[in-house]
Amino acid sequence: MAVAFKVTGVEQGEWAVLRVTGELDLMTSPVLRQRVHDVVAEGHHSLILDLSEVFFCDSSGVGVLIAARRLIRSCQGRLRLILPDRGAVDGSHVNRVLGALGVRRLFDIRSDVESATADEAGPLSA
């Protein structure tokens, strides 16, 4: 049985969190792209994409992630991805795809929402 693709949004402090479930592919990636654009249009420039429940991601899905990064950077915003080391069966498929394509290093990747919303960046010292 196929898992339905869903994108649900919540706000956690200054962060907008989009939780993505299912397959991120040619058919579903336009949905995520639109949601990212909507969130940014609403004025949220700190975005977390929780991909821990995405069990398949193809090149169009990766394209949406890269486009989201470009959009957020153009707003001087922050983008973080939630990709657990283990989970979504055994190890994140998205993690493996991003690694295989050599683009994983482009993203600020966290293991869960708590670590993604925590700001380690303390006050800048002179």
Side-chain angles (χ1 to χ4, degrees):
M1 186 180 99
V3 173
F5 179 79
K6 286 193 312 211
V7 181
T8 52
V10 296
E11 287 183 36
Q12 286 199 251
E14 62 185 309
W15 292 92
V17 181
L18 292 179
R19 178 162 288 143
V20 186
T21 307
E23 297 186 18
L24 186 53
D25 59 21
L26 188 61
M27 298 301 293
T28 59
S29 54
V31 175
L32 180 57
R33 174 172 293 152
Q34 188 59 54
R35 287 298 299 273
V36 168
H37 279 272
D38 292 346
V39 165
V40 171
E42 290 163 11
H44 295 286
H45 296 158
S46 293
L47 176 63
I48 294 169
L49 294 178
D50 182 349
L51 306 173
S52 53
E53 296 299 319
V54 173
F55 56 87
F56 177 79
C57 178
D58 70 6
S59 58
S60 56
V62 173
V64 168
L65 299 179
I66 291 172
R69 176 182 180 268
R70 191 176 305 128
L71 176 65
I72 294 288
R73 284 175 62 113
S74 73
C75 307
Q76 281 77 50
R78 297 177 294 172
L79 174 66
R80 292 178 178 165
L81 305 183
I82 309 263
L83 293 172
D85 298 327
R86 301 183 71 74
V89 186
D90 190 14
S92 169
H93 176 79
V94 180
N95 231 340
R96 291 196 305 271
V97 170
L98 294 178
L101 293 173
V103 296
R104 191 178 187 283
R105 60 186 167 69
L106 297 177
F107 297 99
D108 182 353
I109 295 177
R110 308 297 172 101
S111 58
D112 54 43
V113 173
E114 289 70 37
S115 63
T117 54
D119 273 322
E120 306 77 39
L124 294 175
S125 55

